[in-house]
Amino acid sequence: MVVQPGIPQPDRQHPQTERKDSSLKGTFAAVLLLGAFIVVCWFAVFSLFVSRG
Amino acid sequence: MTTEKTLSLRDRQVDQATSRLSLAYLFVAFSAFGIAALAGMLQAMVRGGLITLPGGINYYQILTAHGVLLGLVFTTFFIIGFLFSGMARTTGGSLPVAARSLGWSGWSLMVAGTLMGTVTILQNDASVLYTFYAPMKASPLFYIGMALVVVGSWVAGWGIFAAYRRWRRDHQGSTSPLFAFMAVATMLLWQIATLGVAIEVLFQLIPWSLGWVPEVNVLLSRTLFWYFGHPLVYFWLMPAYISWYINIPKIIGGRIFSDSLARLSFVLLILFSIPVGFHHQLMEPGISAGWKLVHVILTLTVVIPSLMTAFSLFAVFETTGRAKGGRGLFGWFGKLPWKDVRFFAPMVGMLMFIPAGTGGIINASNQLNAVVHNTIWVTGHFHLTVGTSVALTFFGIAYWLIPALTGRRLTSTVNRLGILQTVFWTVGMLLMSGAMHYLGLQGAPRRTDYTTYFDHSTALGWMPYQQLMGIGGLFLFLASVLLIGILIYLGFFAPKGFTEYPIGENGDTAEVTPRILERWPLWIGLSAFLIAVAYGYPIYELIQHAPPGSPPIRTW
């Protein structure tokens, strides 16, 4: 592959990763935060509905 | 590198014949995008009270041009062009002759339809918005044009199927490449979903607009439209997901998290994105609450494949970021290649999909829908989904796809300009869509020209936010001009060279993809069953107990 200036190239020092030996703690935390965001927004609009009812 | 070597490297990715086909689709897509972006900017400025349109041009005319050219034309042409290129890239570098012929036939039909539709809109004979709701009546040529676009896209889809069939025939017993599987799933969803709008246009709107029948069953026409309208959103999203699942891992130096999970999410999208249209009609009379509930439940089911996609992407980012030295709970996030536009633009799109998808869940919940229905919140919502998540992903793809197909290089200057373009687009959309969401919650309606409602105090309170929408529209137009300039440069003037067509590899080599995921008759059968359950009886009722028909109305 030709190196293109300014375009970061795949890291040769750290070859493409195998999933098995890697931690997914951050992924777990991220999906929990995502779920919490959905719940908070849902209840915020629901409270508007209730207050206008 | 010599020209011959460059050409040979390019042809090893996608051959010249397929490149030409794919580029023809992209050319129409971005031409439509340019006109639609201008219409969008004018519209935002008018609604913001910042300008008035010069003589003869009506707000609803440019609103229709914006919606049709972006929502229907830009997306469909881009998607088909992208899918043809990826099919060739992952099935040996070329398409069978039959697939290319179908591709060109589809392109011709779609171009003819687009021209007919555009001309009628410009003549102010079709200011019916992109949903073309009856009883507003456009010129028959508008409906015939839209029908040609849909039929052309079916023919192009058959081209994708032909390429897939050839690969399966030549590799019996093997699992198909992930891109090919996903391209087939996307076009399959499209073929099933467009049946609704095809029936509406062919059997209701065209005869009615020609005066062959005096009245139209409005509720049935809207139901058939939304049978198509919601999976249309997934037709936009699935190619973006393809890029997130397949191109992005390669671009960031990682691997695909799970081939099986990716395929399963697409199967679920085929099953659950169609029998859900009533959540767009929650406030409409004539459909019983029980059937609306069925559709709401199925709508919330279709959230699952999107959440699976979010999990899978976080996992790819974390494993790749940790391999590059990221530590702690979120240290991997900073290790991602933020200065590479091929990653940056789609990644901003992915992040914006978090509020976009959340808004979708709110829209689909009955009581919450009562708060936002027909308000400008909904406009803000789809400017986050299709206007940001999908659009930024398509821009990110175009930055590498066009030079990869033309045998040119994505230079470092273009990379920097692309990042700037993404920032302008994001700022514009945050201002515009943010203001729309806020105004919608205050009750400001969508699909309306600028008005102060006789200087009513509530409406006057909306004006600063409507001006913000106009300013957002200016940023978006600036980003659009920059994008078109960059793409013209990449297509015709960038230095000759090689640009990679990135295709990720599966990270879990021990994983065996279940064969059942590729048993299309099973998924088509299940999809037909769910559609029959969700729509069979309600449509029977809409015909048997039809509301009074409506004669055509011209509201402009």
Side-chain angles (χ1 to χ4, degrees):
Chain A
M1 185 185 145
V2 175
V3 173
Q4 299 168 43
I7 309 290
Q9 300 301 313
D11 194 339
R12 309 278 177 218
Q13 308 261 295
H14 303 280
Q16 300 198 328
T17 53
E18 289 293 335
R19 162 163 71 83
K20 286 172 205 146
D21 50 2
S22 182
S23 159
L24 289 179
K25 278 185 296 190
T27 300
F28 183 59
V31 293
L32 286 184
L33 285 172
L34 169 61
F37 178 77
I38 293 172
V39 171
V40 167
C41 291
W42 196 94
F43 277 101
V45 181
F46 185 67
S47 70
L48 264 182
F49 170 76
V50 171
S51 69
R52 289 171 185 179
Chain B
M1 178 179 282
T2 64
T3 309
E4 291 74 30
K5 273 187 185 164
T6 306
L7 280 174
S8 123
L9 273 173
R10 185 194 66 183
D11 285 351
R12 238 178 279 160
Q13 299 192 106
V14 179
D15 72 341
Q16 220 168 352
T18 307
S19 295
R20 266 200 296 270
L21 174 65
S22 185
L23 285 166
Y25 275 95
L26 298 182
F27 175 77
V28 181
F30 284 105
S31 303
F33 173 87
I35 302 168
L38 177 64
M41 185 269 287
L42 292 173
Q43 192 187 316
M45 300 282 278
V46 171
R47 177 77 191 246
L50 301 171
I51 60 165
T52 49
L53 289 169
I57 305 176
N58 132 19
Y59 175 81
Y60 298 99
Q61 189 180 356
I62 56 170
L63 180 55
T64 307
H66 179 71
V68 169
L69 289 175
L70 273 188
L72 302 177
V73 177
F74 164 65
T75 49
T76 310
F77 273 91
F78 182 89
I79 289 165
I80 295 173
F82 173 50
L83 295 186
F84 270 128
S85 73
M87 281 300 290
R89 169 72 176 84
T90 57
T91 58
S94 64
L95 292 174
V97 177
R100 279 207 313 274
S101 305
L102 288 165
W104 280 111
S105 305
W107 184 88
S108 309
L109 286 169
M110 288 171 69
V111 168
T114 300
L115 289 174
M116 284 170 77
T118 308
V119 167
T120 53
I121 295 168
L122 294 179
Q123 287 175 331
N124 202 20
D125 279 332
S127 297
V128 288
L129 316 191
Y130 99 102
T131 43
F132 45 86
Y133 280 157
M136 284 194 293
K137 188 190 79 83
S139 154
L141 289 177
F142 173 79
Y143 300 118
I144 295 168
M146 290 301 103
L148 284 175
V149 171
V150 169
V151 172
S153 70
W154 286 347
V155 175
W158 302 336
I160 300 278
F161 299 156
Y164 175 77
R165 266 202 305 274
R166 182 195 66 170
W167 193 93
R168 291 290 300 269
R169 199 191 57 217
D170 295 347
H171 301 79
Q172 287 186 8
S174 306
T175 305
S176 63
L178 184 57
F179 194 111
F181 175 92
M182 290 178 153
V184 168
T186 305
M187 293 316 287
L188 185 60
L189 173 99
W190 183 245
Q191 307 263 334
I192 301 172
T194 43
L195 288 175
V197 75
I199 293 169
E200 181 202 4
V201 169
L202 289 179
F203 295 105
Q204 287 195 286
L205 301 183
I206 290 178
W208 173 69
S209 67
L210 286 167
W212 297 346
V213 289
E215 293 176 338
V216 66
N217 179 339
V218 171
L219 187 55
L220 178 63
S221 76
R222 289 165 69 105
T223 301
L224 289 170
F225 181 85
W226 286 114
Y227 166 94
F228 151 80
H230 196 73
L232 168 67
V233 176
Y234 285 90
F235 176 66
W236 296 331
L237 276 172
M238 284 162 82
Y241 284 10
I242 292 177
S243 182
W244 299 351
Y245 272 117
I246 299 175
N247 306 133
I248 292 293
K250 179 70 175 174
I251 288 169
I252 67 174
R255 286 174 184 270
I256 296 167
F257 179 71
S258 163
D259 180 276
S260 307
L261 182 145
R263 285 177 204 251
L264 178 62
S265 73
F266 269 53
V267 166
L268 294 177
L269 288 171
I270 292 175
L271 295 184
F272 294 115
S273 70
I274 302 172
V276 299
F278 287 167
H279 79 250
H280 288 262
Q281 298 173 275
L282 286 173
M283 299 298 122
E284 277 186 37
I287 302 168
S288 72
W291 286 110
K292 287 177 180 171
L293 176 68
V294 169
H295 282 232
V296 165
I297 292 169
L298 288 167
T299 307
L300 295 177
T301 313
V302 83
V303 176
I304 295 169
S306 289
L307 291 178
M308 285 164 61
T309 303
F311 164 78
S312 181
L313 294 168
F314 279 130
V316 170
F317 296 147
E318 182 169 10
T319 46
T320 309
R322 286 196 187 283
K324 291 183 176 182
R327 297 282 173 267
L329 197 58
F330 292 117
W332 44 272
F333 201 67
K335 296 289 177 185
L336 299 172
W338 295 100
K339 291 181 179 167
D340 182 347
V341 72
R342 300 173 306 162
F343 167 75
F344 181 68
M347 183 61 179
V348 176
M350 288 180 230
L351 292 173
M352 296 288 267
F353 197 57
I354 295 172
T358 305
I361 294 171
I362 288 167
N363 297 342
S365 307
N366 189 46
Q367 290 87 343
L368 282 64
N369 188 270
V371 177
V372 300
H373 195 89
N374 264 350
T375 70
I376 203 163
W377 157 289
V378 179
T379 319
H381 163 70
F382 64 71
H383 277 87
L384 281 189
T385 51
V386 66
T388 311
S389 301
V390 171
L392 281 178
T393 303
F394 288 2
F395 301 163
I397 293 169
Y399 285 138
W400 54 258
L401 179 58
I402 290 178
L405 296 179
T406 53
R408 295 179 186 274
R409 278 197 303 117
L410 168 57
T411 62
S412 56
T413 308
V414 168
N415 185 60
R416 279 198 298 275
L417 284 173
I419 286 173
L420 186 68
Q421 188 269 335
T422 307
V423 170
F424 279 162
W425 189 270
T426 308
V427 169
M429 208 53 98
L430 283 173
L431 290 175
M432 194 182 77
S433 176
M436 285 173 166
H437 276 88
Y438 178 77
L439 283 173
L441 291 175
Q442 311 306 312
R446 65 187 288 203
R447 297 184 174 123
T448 48
D449 198 349
Y450 174 78
T451 171
T452 60
Y453 298 90
F454 302 107
D455 289 341
H456 190 282
S457 58
T458 304
L460 290 177
W462 298 338
M463 294 308 143
Y465 296 94
Q466 292 193 181
Q467 285 167 1
L468 207 55
M469 281 163 44
I471 295 166
L474 275 180
F475 271 95
L476 287 163
F477 185 65
L478 197 59
S480 305
V481 172
L482 195 50
L483 175 77
I484 298 285
I486 292 171
L487 296 185
I488 290 173
Y489 176 76
L490 285 175
F492 300 103
F493 304 107
K496 289 278 183 189
F498 174 75
T499 295
E500 183 190 23
Y501 194 124
I503 295 291
E505 290 165 26
N506 193 10
D508 190 347
T509 46
E511 179 190 66
V512 178
T513 302
R515 301 298 302 276
I516 194 170
L517 291 171
E518 212 144 1
R519 293 211 178 113
W520 299 108
L522 172 67
W523 306 125
I524 295 170
L526 269 177
S527 172
F529 171 74
L530 285 169
I531 291 166
V533 168
Y535 273 110
Y537 189 71
I539 287 187
Y540 165 78
E541 273 195 323
L542 293 184
I543 295 169
Q544 283 300 107
H545 308 289
S550 175
I553 295 172
R554 185 177 167 120
T555 50
W556 66 95

